[in-house]
Amino acid sequence: MIQRRLIPTYIFLTIFSIISVFPFLWMISAATNNYIDISKGRLMPGAFAAENFRNLVSQQPLARAMTNSFVYAISVTIICLFICSLAGYGFEVYHDKWKDKLFSILLLAMMVPQVATMIPLFQMFSKAKLLNTTIGFFLPMISTPFMIMMFRQNARAFPIDIIEAARIDGLNEIQIFFRMFFPTMRSTYAAAAVITFMNSWNAYLWPKVIMTDGKSLNMVMLIANTIGGYKIDYGMIMMGVLFCSIPTMIVFFVLQKQFAEGITGAVK
């Protein structure tokens, strides 16, 4: 039986949960209603889901955008996890004052707004002829100071005695990383995968700058393209938002347990 002193807490959590989930429920409802019903503030699901989907497919290259988003997000996630985990492992296991100073510089880089780097990056990538290329999309995102910091902080919980014992047994540093560090830090990799996948899937500013060709658009750019003209079809837009939201929700719900463990620094 719930203790009386906990009743206010449960009431507060229930109200907060309803408020938090309301935008998602409204998104689903709007995706099934037409422009008139949405303008009137209708909250119940409607019967226009198929029509909104047909309008979206006929006016926007939905399949191409979904494919591009999956290719971008999955590729960036895999490469970023590999590079940032190696960097975080190296910063923590192989200590010296110069590495610590370099890490401090990386942390300072987190304070630089992304907008401030757009023009220099665009000029660099334009001269390198990387516009409208997958590599041009990848490079600024495959290594971030936050991910390196996250792996370094979690690597502090990795037992150093295991590394020393493995060296005595004859394993080299690469074998230690892949055979011992990687399996032990699975929760950290899961948390980093969720964050990186969501960031790359929802990326808009850099893809908008680097991908000037319509064939390279992702889902976020597709949704932005639906907002235009004299009449905005909110039903079609919300259908696109629904399709854009489903992959990130699936990734989070599948890895939510490992995500919580990785954020708290759990090591198994």
Side-chain angles (χ1 to χ4, degrees), residues 43-81:
L43 298 179
M44 299 301 295
F48 294 89
E51 180 179 345
N52 292 333
F53 178 75
R54 285 195 297 268
N55 292 337
L56 179 65
V57 174
S58 62
Q59 298 181 26
Q60 299 293 335
L62 178 62
R64 181 190 303 165
M66 286 287 289
T67 302
N68 291 339
S69 290
F70 274 113
V71 171
Y72 298 155
I74 293 175
S75 302
V76 168
T77 301
I78 294 174
I79 299 173
C80 182
L81 292 186

Side-chain angles (χ1 to χ4, degrees), residues 21-40:
V21 78
F22 175 77
F24 174 71
L25 297 178
W26 183 86
M27 176 185 67
I28 297 177
S29 174
T32 61
N33 285 298
N34 59 11
Y35 170 83
I36 298 176
D37 292 334
I38 297 174
S39 300
K40 291 180 178 179

Side-chain angles (χ1 to χ4, degrees), residues 240-260:
V241 173
L242 180 62
F243 271 91
C244 185
S245 303
I246 289 176
T248 55
M249 289 188 294
I250 292 175
V251 170
F252 180 79
F253 283 118
V254 170
L255 299 175
Q256 60 179 328
K257 181 179 179 181
Q258 293 82 356
F259 176 81

Side-chain angles (χ1 to χ4, degrees), residues 2 18 29 46 48 67 71 77 81 90 102 124 135 153 173 177 194 198 217 227 229 234 243 247 249 264:
I2 300 176
I18 294 174
S29 174
F48 294 89
T67 302
V71 171
T77 301
L81 292 186
L102 178 59
M124 292 170 56
I135 297 177
Q153 291 300 114
E173 302 302 321
F177 178 83
V194 172
M198 288 185 174
L217 86 169
I227 305 175
Y234 292 109
F243 271 91
M249 289 188 294
T264 56

Side-chain angles (χ1 to χ4, degrees), residues 63-208:
R64 181 190 303 165
M66 286 287 289
T67 302
N68 291 339
S69 290
F70 274 113
V71 171
Y72 298 155
I74 293 175
S75 302
V76 168
T77 301
I78 294 174
I79 299 173
C80 182
L81 292 186
F82 177 71
I83 293 177
C84 293
S85 61
L86 276 176
Y89 176 82
F91 274 120
E92 180 58 30
V93 174
Y94 309 108
H95 269 298
D96 63 54
K97 63 178 182 178
W98 295 110
K99 288 188 179 70
D100 293 337
K101 291 181 179 180
L102 178 59
F103 187 74
S104 299
I105 296 174
L106 286 176
L107 295 182
L108 288 175
M110 295 175 61
M111 302 180 186
V112 179
Q114 184 185 17
V115 178
T117 64
M118 288 294 104
I119 295 177
L121 282 176
F122 179 81
Q123 291 179 342
M124 292 170 56
F125 281 70
S126 177
K127 292 180 180 179
K129 298 182 179 180
L130 293 177
L131 299 180
N132 297 314
T133 63
T134 305
I135 297 177
F137 178 90
F138 287 172
L139 287 179
M141 306 176 68
I142 59 176
S143 179
T144 62
F146 176 78
M147 284 291 109
I148 295 174
M149 180 189 69
M150 179 178 174
F151 276 104
R152 185 190 182 187
Q153 291 300 114
N154 285 276
R156 292 183 175 180
F158 187 72
I160 301 299
D161 295 340
I162 295 180
I163 298 178
E164 295 176 352
R167 289 170 179 167
I168 294 174
D169 290 339
L171 293 181
N172 59 39
E173 302 302 321
I174 300 298
Q175 291 173 327
I176 293 174
F177 178 83
F178 284 104
R179 294 185 182 181
M180 308 187 71
F181 179 81
F182 180 80
T184 305
M185 306 298 291
R186 284 178 297 179
S187 59
T188 303
Y189 277 93
V194 172
I195 296 173
T196 306
F197 183 87
M198 288 185 174
N199 288 340
S200 55
W201 180 274
N202 296 322
Y204 174 74
L205 183 58
W206 176 244
K208 188 68 174 179

